[in-house]
Amino acid sequence: QVQLVESGGGLVQPGGSLSLSCAASGSIGSINTMGWYRQAAGKQRELVASITSGGSTNYADSVKGRFTISRENAKKTVYLQMNSLKPEDTAVYYCNAWIKGRPPSGIMREYWGQGTQVTVSS
C-alpha cells in the first residue's frame, strides 16, 4: 500500500510564506512526476506545480515567481515553498504522485495525499 503524507500549511498573513512537504511511503518501485494541486471553496481542483523525476518543473501562471517546487528522490519527498502569499492562494492543497509499485505489481498509478489547508488572511 502506498501513502502520501503531507505536512505544513496553516494560517498566514498576505505577503507571508509557508512551506509544504509530502512524503511517499509503502511498496514503491519508482516515482515519476510529483506535484501539488489546490482546490478553493466552490472551485475545481487545479494544478499548482509539478516536478518530474529528472527535476523538470511546471507552474501555474498564477504562482510563477512566488512558489518553488522541489523534491528529494532519496527521501521520496516533494516540497512546495510558497512566498508572497495572496488571499487568492487560500485553498486545500493536495500532494499528487505517479508511483510504480514494486515487482511483481509494477503498475504505475496516481496517488493523492489527504490535503492540507492553507489560509491567507489578515
Side-chain angles (χ1 to χ4, degrees):
Q1 192 75 350
V2 173
Q3 282 188 318
L4 298 179
V5 179
E6 300 154 350
S7 60
L11 174 64
V12 65
Q13 292 187 341
S17 298
L18 278 176
S19 180
L20 305 180
S21 63
C22 170
S25 63
S27 183
I28 296 172
S30 62
I31 303 177
N32 199 337
T33 298
M34 303 183 82
W36 292 93
Y37 286 71
R38 67 186 181 187
Q39 187 167 20
K43 294 188 177 181
Q44 288 189 328
R45 191 173 297 189
E46 62 176 1
L47 174 69
V48 176
S50 64
I51 183 168
T52 68
S53 56
S56 296
T57 58
N58 180 47
Y59 294 93
D61 287 342
S62 59
V63 307
K64 282 180 181 176
R66 301 188 297 121
F67 291 11
T68 302
I69 190 170
S70 60
R71 64 189 281 174
E72 287 188 76
N73 290 330
K75 293 185 178 181
K76 301 181 179 66
T77 299
V78 63
Y79 307 95
L80 185 68
Q81 177 64 40
M82 303 182 290
N83 298 328
S84 302
L85 283 160
K86 304 175 181 179
E88 51 263 43
D89 294 317
T90 296
V92 178
Y93 284 69
Y94 296 91
C95 177
N96 172 275
W98 285 90
I99 297 174
K100 187 175 184 179
R102 288 178 183 163
S105 171
I107 296 173
M108 180 74 73
R109 274 190 55 192
E110 184 178 31
Y111 292 88
W112 292 92
Q114 78 281 5
T116 186
Q117 178 70 45
V118 171
T119 301
V120 185
S121 175
S122 55

